[in-house]
Amino acid sequence: MTRERITEAAIALLDEEGMERLTMRHLAERIGIGATTLYWHIDTKDDVVDLATDAIFAEAPLPDGHGDNWQESVVALLSGCRAMLLRHPWSAALPLRQRPSIGPNFLTWLEFLQATLSRAGFGAQQTQAVCWLLYNHVLGSAASQSNLQWSKAERAAAQEQLRGEQDKYPTLVAYEYTLDEDWEENFYLGVKLVLDGLEAQLSTDA
């Protein structure tokens, strides 16, 4: 029995059954041990979540070096993180910095992001702010896609309801708000808009 084996079992449980089914007893049953034995290795359920969260960040590949184009590095980094979060929908509903005990895989990912921003020319406070802006964008995109699972019929019905109140919501009706389900395009367009704005800010500060 190792922490690695416990972590693998926890991730499998979370992927298949969701966060609401994660208990120390259920995890122990899945591994095939007693709950008391599990507590010899892991103190609490929160510790299990911390281990599982950090472990999945090993699946978010870092770009090969920082390269000459900082925007391309950021897009590649965020893209890998978003794909990882979508493979593990439970993780998108969690604040990934839930507690101070941040694991090495997450820290390596965050170090690459902050180093890329620093190399681009952002100062310390700007880097922190931009980091949170991008981090929240990728987390929110994955969480929305994982949780907002409307059928086409449900989307059409919701849009029809909006049309019935067009005087209140003319823009939502005109832009067909509830019919939009192109999560990937929206994600990348959002990243581009943010990065283009940040590039303009760097040019202004120069």
Side-chain angles (χ1 to χ4, degrees), residues 164-184:
E165 300 182 86
Q166 185 160 356
D167 56 327
K168 294 182 182 179
Y169 314 113
T171 309
L172 297 182
V173 172
Y175 291 174
E176 297 187 325
Y177 162 66
T178 66
L179 300 182
D180 180 16
E181 55 181 331
D182 196 337
W183 299 106
E184 186 167 345

Side-chain angles (χ1 to χ4, degrees), residues 8-205:
E8 290 175 3
I11 292 172
L13 190 160
L14 288 164
D15 287 349
E16 295 169 20
E17 303 184 48
M19 184 62 67
E20 64 279 1
R21 289 282 291 148
L22 176 62
T23 65
M24 295 294 275
R25 181 175 298 278
H26 187 37
L27 178 58
E29 291 172 351
R30 187 180 183 100
I31 298 172
I33 60 175
T36 301
T37 302
L38 181 59
Y39 279 112
W40 289 347
H41 299 272
I42 307 290
D43 291 333
T44 68
K45 172 183 170 180
D46 286 338
D47 293 324
V48 172
V49 174
D50 285 346
L51 289 169
T53 300
D54 187 64
I56 62 175
F57 260 86
E59 302 176 20
L62 302 182
D64 294 330
H66 290 278
D68 297 327
N69 189 317
W70 71 272
Q71 290 197 27
E72 290 181 358
S73 294
V74 169
V75 171
L77 186 71
L78 297 184
S79 178
C81 182
R82 179 173 178 271
M84 175 272 291
L85 292 170
L86 290 175
R87 287 194 297 273
H88 305 285
W90 54 271
S91 64
L94 286 174
L96 298 181
R97 286 186 61 179
Q98 185 175 17
R99 300 197 296 169
S101 55
I102 310 168
N105 292 317
F106 176 70
L107 288 176
T108 299
W109 183 89
L110 189 61
E111 169 65 24
F112 187 95
L113 177 57
Q114 292 212 359
T116 300
L117 296 173
S118 177
R119 288 167 181 264
F122 293 101
Q125 189 58 50
Q126 287 179 317
T127 294
Q128 295 286 11
V130 172
C131 180
W132 280 113
L133 175 64
L134 297 173
Y135 174 81
N136 288 330
H137 179 64
V138 67
L139 190 64
S141 171
S144 296
Q145 184 171 347
S146 296
N147 291 286
L148 295 178
Q149 297 295 328
W150 289 7
S151 67
K152 291 189 180 298
E154 288 171 327
R155 288 181 178 278
Q159 189 64 29
E160 189 60 34
Q161 182 178 347
L162 282 178
R163 290 193 189 97
E165 300 182 86
Q166 185 160 356
D167 56 327
K168 294 182 182 179
Y169 314 113
T171 309
L172 297 182
V173 172
Y175 291 174
E176 297 187 325
Y177 162 66
T178 66
L179 300 182
D180 180 16
E181 55 181 331
D182 196 337
W183 299 106
E184 186 167 345
E185 181 178 353
N186 286 334
F187 170 74
Y188 284 109
L189 178 57
V191 172
K192 183 179 186 304
L193 291 171
V194 169
L195 295 184
D196 285 350
L198 293 172
E199 184 70 61
Q201 183 64 47
L202 281 175
S203 299
T204 300
D205 293 343

